[in-house]
């Protein structure tokens, strides 16, 4: 049976509900994380926790529990579900209060968590790359916060789905590509990986951080700078990263073909080894 977590209780998923006055539903007043686990071992937990702490602090949201207790609670939830390779979803909102815009003074933050099967892109998608489209950048100015306010992201992703594409890349008025609706994006030119630097303009992806570390360790050159749609369309390669997709090559942007190359392929292999090493079960002698 699928078990979820709601404010201190582990309960069957079908019964896992929140209050009608939760500020998450009224105002999207909350933050979230998606953390992958393989063989029941969480991948990059510490950086996910660091980003979560940052998101909470920025929005003046109280931590519902300390990191050690949270780690134990997450592991208990994973233990209660029969999923070896999964995605943990964690959401913290400002809690339940009569609807009014200012922060309530005496409300406890709410924490809910679910796990589900980690459905990765298909082997064919990993091998052949995927199609992306673009969407005007219509989001707010604090995109480094992993806020549950995702209306622009879902509108963009739906446009992608309608056009049979895997992802939508946000493009600013000046032509700069920021990131995907749920991924970070990269192009490769003359062997150099180019990606937006971390700032308020993008979500600092945890997969992004790991991929850039792996690139550095393996002498793949990185240039953290803005790039435009025009540059992307004439790039040697393009790819994107996220917790659920890992790293995947892009073979088409807005109908224009992008070549597949060795850089994304190499990083794919490096990332797979990295994840497998974390997810290895302990050796029993
Ligand atoms: N999305 N940018 C945006 C806007 C995202 O929503 C995500 C992740 C990323 C990549 O971050 P990370 O590597 O830490 O997953 C970048 C998650 C997976 C989601 O919303 O489901």
């Amino acid at each position: 049976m699928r078990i979820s977590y709601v404010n201190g209780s582990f309960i069957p998923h079908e019964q896992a509900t929140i209050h009608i006055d939760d500020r998450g539903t009224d105002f999207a007043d909350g933050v979230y994380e998606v953390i992958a686990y393989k063989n029941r071992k969480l991948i990059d937990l510490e950086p996910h926790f660091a980003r979560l702490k940052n998101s909470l602090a920025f929005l003046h949201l109280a931590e519902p529990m300390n990191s050690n207790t949270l780690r134990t609670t997450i592991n208990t939830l994973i233990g209660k579900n029969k999923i070896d390779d999964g995605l943990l979803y964690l959401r913290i909102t400002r809690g339940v209060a009569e609807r009014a815009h200012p922060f309530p003074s005496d409300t406890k933050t709410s924490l809910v968590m679910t796990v589900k099967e980690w459905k990765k892109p298909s082997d064919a998608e990993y091998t052949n790359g995927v199609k992306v489209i673009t969407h005007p950048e219509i989001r707010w100015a604090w995109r480094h916060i992993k806020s549950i306010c995702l209306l622009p992201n879902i509108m963009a992703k739906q446009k992608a789905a309608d056009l049979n594409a895997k992802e939508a890349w946000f493009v600013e008025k000046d032509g700069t590509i920021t990131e995907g609706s749920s991924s970070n994006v990269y192009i490769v030119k003359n062997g150099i990986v180019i990606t937006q630097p971390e700032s308020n303009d993008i979500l600092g992806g945890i997969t992004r951080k790991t991929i850039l570390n792996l690139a550095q360790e393996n002498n793949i050159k990185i240039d953290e700078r803005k790039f435009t749609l025009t540059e992307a369309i004439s790039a040697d390669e393009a790819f994107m990263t996220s917790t659920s997709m890992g790293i995947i090559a892009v073979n088409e942007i807005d109908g224009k073909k992008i070549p597949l190359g060795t850089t994304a392929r190499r990083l794919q292999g490096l990332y797979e080894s990295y994840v497998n090493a974390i997810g290895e079960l302990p050796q029993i002698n």
Side-chain angles (χ1 to χ4, degrees):
M1 188 202 301
R2 189 175 173 202
I3 301 292
S4 294
Y5 174 91
V6 182
N7 290 318
S9 307
F10 295 95
I11 38 187
H13 187 71
E14 294 69 34
Q15 293 158 30
T17 54
I18 53 161
H19 195 279
I20 193 170
D21 279 337
D22 191 290
R23 286 178 63 96
T25 45
D26 277 344
F27 301 114
D29 186 3
V31 300
Y32 77 108
E33 280 293 330
V34 178
I35 311 173
Y37 60 94
K38 190 169 171 75
N39 280 336
R40 296 172 184 259
K41 294 214 179 124
L42 290 149
I43 297 160
D44 287 340
L45 182 63
E46 294 312 321
H48 277 284
F49 272 10
R51 183 170 68 186
L52 178 63
K53 254 181 195 289
N54 191 49
S55 297
L56 290 169
F58 199 85
L59 298 182
H60 307 286
L61 277 158
E63 288 178 41
M65 55 181 70
N66 67 40
S67 299
N68 279 339
T69 315
L70 182 57
R71 183 197 315 264
T72 309
T73 311
I74 289 173
N75 280 318
T76 306
L77 179 64
I78 291 172
K80 285 181 184 292
N81 283 277
K82 290 187 177 57
I83 297 169
D84 288 338
D85 297 348
L87 291 175
L88 171 99
Y89 173 76
L90 172 168
R91 180 171 72 231
I92 297 171
T93 70
R94 210 177 301 274
V96 176
E98 189 181 275
R99 188 181 180 281
H101 287 58
F103 297 171
S105 53
D106 55 352
T107 299
K108 246 179 99 304
T109 50
S110 141
L111 166 64
V112 301
M113 295 192 281
T114 59
V115 293
K116 65 175 184 186
E117 202 78 46
W118 184 2
K119 287 208 187 80
K120 292 187 200 163
S122 67
D123 289 348
E125 287 176 315
Y126 276 127
T127 307
N128 305 327
V130 293
K131 184 173 145 178
V132 303
I133 52 113
T134 58
H135 190 281
E137 178 59 276
I138 51 171
R139 296 177 301 159
W140 72 336
W142 291 347
R143 301 169 202 146
H144 59 304
I145 303 302
K146 204 158 169 60
S147 144
I148 58 171
C149 182
L150 292 171
L151 205 42
N153 306 60
I154 65 164
M155 295 306 289
K157 187 75 103 187
Q158 186 56 43
K159 180 181 169 193
D162 289 344
L163 294 169
N164 255 327
K166 188 81 174 173
E167 178 61 304
W169 287 13
F170 285 119
V171 187
E172 301 269 25
K173 284 200 185 80
D174 69 358
T176 302
I177 295 176
T178 51
E179 62 181 331
S181 73
S182 63
S183 59
N184 290 115
V185 304
Y186 312 73
I187 57 171
V188 182
K189 194 76 191 174
N190 302 323
I192 301 171
V193 174
I194 302 163
T195 193
Q196 272 264 359
E198 269 203 53
S199 76
N200 293 9
D201 290 344
I202 61 163
L203 181 76
I206 305 304
T207 322
R208 174 188 182 280
K209 217 185 282 279
T210 300
I211 287 288
L212 293 185
N213 284 341
L214 289 170
Q216 213 147 27
E217 285 165 14
N218 290 278
N219 300 317
I220 296 171
K221 291 202 188 88
I222 302 156
D223 189 1
E224 288 184 71
R225 67 158 173 86
K226 294 182 178 188
F227 63 88
T228 62
L229 178 57
T230 312
E231 275 183 280
I233 281 162
S234 59
D236 299 335
E237 290 179 58
F239 63 91
M240 51 192 176
T241 66
S242 77
T243 296
S244 52
M245 290 193 296
I247 161 169
I248 192 158
V250 167
N251 62 25
E252 197 180 307
I253 305 174
D254 281 345
K256 310 215 174 44
K257 297 280 177 218
I258 310 295
L260 295 176
T262 52
T263 313
R265 176 90 57 239
R266 235 184 112 196
L267 286 168
Q268 234 171 17
L270 290 166
Y271 189 67
E272 202 182 327
S273 308
Y274 173 84
V275 167
N276 286 341
I278 295 175
E280 266 169 23
L281 288 169
Q283 295 297 312
I284 298 160
N285 295 314

